[in-house]
Amino acid sequence: MSPQISQPKQENEVKRAISALLCAAALVVTVSTAEARPHHRHHHRHQRHHVAAVQQEEQGFFSSFSNGFQHGMSAGTGFVERARQFVGETAHQVGVRSTLWCSAFLRKVTGASGVDDRALSWENHRRIAPQVGAIVTMGRRGGGHVGIVSGFKPNGDPIVISGNHGGRVREAVYSRHRIRTWVSPT
């Protein structure tokens, strides 16, 4: 006799697979919608966030996604801590070029290869689910912007550490609708 999976167990596995596929499809639609939107300038009020506060706020959309689909996973929290050490510093203080330096900053933090000074060159890295430590690219008039996710607001908007944000390394909230891609830092 060969072992067989019971009917209820088989149904549960099918339901889990369908649920995972629906989550992935929702993510693709969200990213595609963000890419299709016209790019325009926003004036945001940015605030520094502390890790403890961010962890307490991880509820809502991304918390349920994270707990159900990426439980216990993080793309690179060591990189987040390293990036956070530079918050408030200029390109000169960080030791990178002083124009269009968001990508140069992340290369310094992660040691990544296969990327250049263009923020959107990070889109060639392996795509991953939204999570702390992911690298995110954003479109902007004339190019792009890139940073590393350090947390999430309850509504799912990522908190991102990036270089060349107002001439300094900053940690700020960005609308999740501005995100083009979520990629691995390495």
Side-chain angles (χ1 to χ4, degrees), residues 53-60 63 66-67 132 150-154:
V54 170
Q55 290 172 342
Q56 289 174 353
E57 290 178 350
E58 283 187 343
Q59 295 176 7
S63 178
S66 183
N67 288 336
V132 170
S150 62
F152 293 96
K153 296 294 287 176

Side-chain angles (χ1 to χ4, degrees), residues 144-163:
H145 190 62
V146 64
I148 188 165
V149 176
S150 62
F152 293 96
K153 296 294 287 176
N155 67 355
D157 287 344
I159 302 166
V160 178
I161 302 171
S162 62

Side-chain angles (χ1 to χ4, degrees), residues 11-151:
E11 288 174 9
N12 284 340
E13 288 179 15
V14 169
K15 286 179 185 178
R16 275 192 227 138
I18 290 171
S19 178
L21 287 172
L22 289 174
C23 285
L27 180 62
V28 167
V29 169
T30 301
V31 171
S32 297
T33 303
E35 290 180 28
R37 293 173 192 253
H39 299 291
H40 54 280
R41 294 182 158 247
H42 291 283
H43 295 282
H44 299 280
R45 188 178 79 210
H46 301 287
Q47 300 172 355
R48 287 182 66 169
H49 299 275
H50 299 285
V51 176
V54 170
Q55 290 172 342
Q56 289 174 353
E57 290 178 350
E58 283 187 343
Q59 295 176 7
F61 172 77
F62 274 91
S63 178
S64 62
F65 178 86
S66 183
N67 288 336
F69 195 68
Q70 289 289 322
H71 182 69
M73 295 188 72
S74 175
T77 53
F79 295 135
V80 171
E81 294 309 314
R82 179 147 188 224
R84 191 171 273 128
Q85 293 173 359
F86 293 101
V87 169
E89 294 188 5
T90 64
H92 179 72
Q93 292 168 316
V94 170
V96 297
R97 62 181 274 171
S98 61
T99 57
L100 302 174
W101 55 280
C102 59
S103 181
F105 168 69
L106 279 183
R107 277 198 322 270
K108 179 174 181 127
V109 168
T110 64
S113 60
V115 291
D116 56 34
D117 288 336
R118 295 170 302 120
L120 301 183
S121 69
W122 286 84
E123 293 181 352
N124 295 325
H125 275 228
R126 181 177 51 87
R127 294 189 184 215
I128 60 174
Q131 58 192 282
V132 170
I135 302 296
V136 291
T137 62
M138 297 163 263
R140 67 168 179 81
R141 213 173 277 153
H145 190 62
V146 64
I148 188 165
V149 176
S150 62

